[in-house]
Amino acid sequence: MNEEFWELLDRLVAQSEIVIDRPKGSAHPRYPHLLYEVAYGYLKNTASPDGDGIDVWVGTGSDGVVGIVCTVDAVKRDSEIKILLNCSESERNRILKFHNRTQSMKGILIERGADALSDFR
């Protein structure tokens, strides 16, 4: 069943326009000291809990959807997933650090091909 999940994400990404609204090197709009080390955007005409499109990190590789980051934000009182597209191992690590930078936001990385249950043990 795990592969079906990833195949649906592949299809969703393939059928969506990717909008990069925070290019690599740009500053976070509310926290200017935080820089995006990997391009960040969303899938146009999709929906996530915050009312915007599904978030996507776009790396420099060519491996397609390589994982997701699940986040919990105590300030915004929400939880989301962020798709990792074409992200190298180094980029995945930087993204995970980005989402775990404060006490009020935490994220976990679920990599494609990993045993999903082992990620939570």
Side-chain angles (χ1 to χ4, degrees):
M1 292 227 294
N2 285 347
E3 191 52 36
E4 291 174 359
F5 173 84
W6 297 111
E7 288 170 1
L8 279 175
L9 276 182
D10 288 338
R11 189 175 333 144
L12 183 64
V13 169
Q15 295 173 347
S16 299
E17 177 183 343
I18 298 172
V19 177
I20 300 297
D21 56 354
R22 299 177 191 174
K24 180 179 179 179
S26 65
H28 189 285
R30 286 191 306 252
Y31 308 102
H33 64 283
L34 293 175
L35 299 180
Y36 287 88
E37 295 184 45
V38 178
Y40 185 72
Y42 63 93
L43 301 179
K44 189 173 183 178
N45 297 321
T46 62
S48 65
D50 65 3
D52 293 327
I54 297 172
D55 295 327
V56 61
W57 289 94
V58 180
T60 58
S62 60
D63 293 330
V65 176
V66 296
I68 59 172
V69 172
C70 298
T71 63
V72 176
D73 187 326
V75 173
K76 290 173 33 180
R77 300 184 56 79
D78 76 358
S79 178
E80 296 184 34
I81 70 161
K82 284 85 169 51
I83 298 171
L84 278 60
L85 179 64
N86 297 326
C87 295
S88 67
E89 182 176 354
S90 173
E91 289 168 329
R92 292 190 301 267
N93 289 332
R94 286 182 289 201
I95 292 164
L96 189 58
K97 286 181 184 178
F98 184 90
H99 288 295
N100 284 285
R101 69 192 181 281
T102 69
Q103 291 301 312
S104 61
M105 176 186 265
K106 296 297 172 192
I108 60 168
L109 171 62
I110 301 174
E111 294 182 296
R112 188 174 196 154
D115 178 5
L117 292 177
S118 69
D119 292 334
F120 299 102
R121 291 187 184 137

